[in-house]
Amino acid sequence: AATLPALAIPPTFATSSGRPWLIPLTDLPVWARWGAFLPAIMATVLLFLDQNITVRLVNNPQYKMEKGRRKNNMLDGMHADMLVISILTFLTSLVGLPWLVAATVRSISHVRALSIFDSAGKLKSTIEQRVTGLSIHTLIGACVLFDKPRAILTQIPTPVLMGLFLFLGTSALPGNEMWERMKELLKDKSIAPKERWSSVPKKVTTLFTAVQIACLGAMVYVKESPIGVLFPVVIALLAPLRFGLEKAGVVKKEYMDILDEE
């Protein structure tokens, strides 16, 4: 009988290649240390933007959360998160473990699962707590450190995991303004419901959405191409492009403030 491919996990807690835990950085020749400078900058840009994009999405005012909103309080959320990410990136680099950064899709799904809606389907508030986050990462740690949880994961077919990731991705799309504007391109304007950006001329909204779609396509193309290492550069260019559209008068400032409020 045919069997489905399953998740491949090492049976014991060890490095996958059997190498020592500590990376021998001093064994690198001097030219390689200097050569790593440019890729390190690109990786820094990627981690910084990935973390901050996720934080902005999760802390969107629509969720009516208080975390991270007290003025000048560095330990209140966003700055402290970045500090923790920086320290963890330094430590994981020393032992060759994957870098950690906020998981966008999972984070959005998490905060939406904690959202409270009224009878009309409008968001009233969000339950702010640390229990679910602590529980999730405790289970992840158990799967890394202990043999039995790892053995259970090896029984899960890979297609099931891919289906789960697909569900998480698609379930996070509703409410995303770019997604909603993309759907609006296919709707009849006379019967389409009024949106927050309805005051912006239709042609301006369409142009801005088309630029966003082109940027998304460029990111996917570069990421999947042989020059995928330059993927962070494309992300870094999004902000200058946004301001360039405004400065060149392609999209007026008052319209840009509405379309790009998130």
Side-chain angles (χ1 to χ4, degrees):
T3 58
L4 293 174
L7 189 62
I9 300 178
T12 58
F13 180 58
T15 56
S16 56
S17 63
R19 63 166 176 80
W21 277 103
L22 194 63
I23 298 295
L25 297 175
T26 56
D27 291 352
L28 282 173
V30 175
W31 67 266
R33 301 177 198 179
W34 285 104
F37 179 74
L38 182 59
I41 290 179
M42 291 192 291
T44 301
V45 170
L46 178 61
L47 293 179
F48 180 83
L49 292 176
D50 199 352
Q51 171 70 19
N52 279 281
I53 289 171
T54 303
V55 168
R56 285 290 302 274
L57 291 173
V58 170
N59 288 285
N60 191 300
Q62 69 173 331
Y63 295 116
K64 299 178 172 61
M65 294 192 294
E66 297 296 329
K67 175 184 177 293
R69 303 202 180 281
R70 288 183 291 174
K71 292 183 179 180
N72 300 320
N73 192 326
M74 184 174 177
L75 298 179
D76 204 11
M78 301 182 186
H79 296 297
D81 287 346
M82 185 58 70
L83 175 62
V84 171
I85 289 294
S86 301
I87 295 172
L88 291 176
T89 301
F90 170 73
L91 295 176
T92 53
S93 298
L94 293 179
V95 293
L97 292 178
W99 291 325
L100 302 174
V101 73
T104 306
V105 173
R106 193 187 75 188
S107 298
I108 296 174
S109 299
H110 186 199
V111 73
R112 286 187 177 175
L114 296 172
S115 300
I116 300 175
F117 298 87
D118 59 20
S119 58
K122 295 196 174 186
L123 196 148
K124 291 170 52 181
S125 62
T126 300
I127 302 173
E128 298 184 60
Q129 41 75 44
R130 299 182 184 275
V131 176
T132 52
L134 179 62
S135 301
I136 290 169
H137 290 88
T138 298
L139 291 173
I140 293 174
C143 293
V144 172
L145 297 174
F146 303 115
D147 295 342
K148 288 187 177 179
R150 280 201 302 274
I152 294 174
L153 288 181
T154 58
Q155 303 302 312
I156 302 177
T158 304
V160 173
L161 292 175
M162 296 300 103
L164 174 61
F165 295 148
L166 178 62
F167 170 76
L168 286 175
T170 53
S171 63
L173 287 175
N176 180 281
E177 291 197 354
M178 177 181 172
W179 173 250
E180 298 300 330
R181 282 188 274 102
M182 288 172 63
K183 292 195 301 180
E184 195 177 69
L185 296 175
L186 306 176
K187 294 180 180 178
D188 186 340
K189 185 178 179 181
S190 62
I191 61 175
K194 294 291 184 181
E195 299 288 357
R196 186 184 59 78
W197 54 86
S198 296
S199 60
V200 179
K202 179 67 174 179
K203 63 179 183 180
V204 176
T205 302
T206 302
L207 174 62
F208 184 75
T209 305
V211 171
Q212 285 188 305
I213 295 173
C215 290
L216 177 61
M219 286 191 291
V220 173
Y221 174 78
V222 172
K223 183 177 181 295
E224 299 299 326
S225 71
I227 58 171
V229 68
L230 298 178
F231 174 65
V233 176
V234 180
I235 296 180
L237 291 175
L238 295 180
L241 175 61
R242 187 260 193 208
F243 291 110
L245 290 173
E246 184 180 313
K247 291 292 185 183
V250 177
V251 180
K252 294 182 179 180
K253 185 179 186 305
E254 56 266 32
Y255 297 152
M256 184 66 78
D257 291 341
I258 296 173
L259 293 171
D260 198 38
E261 185 181 30
E262 288 192 342

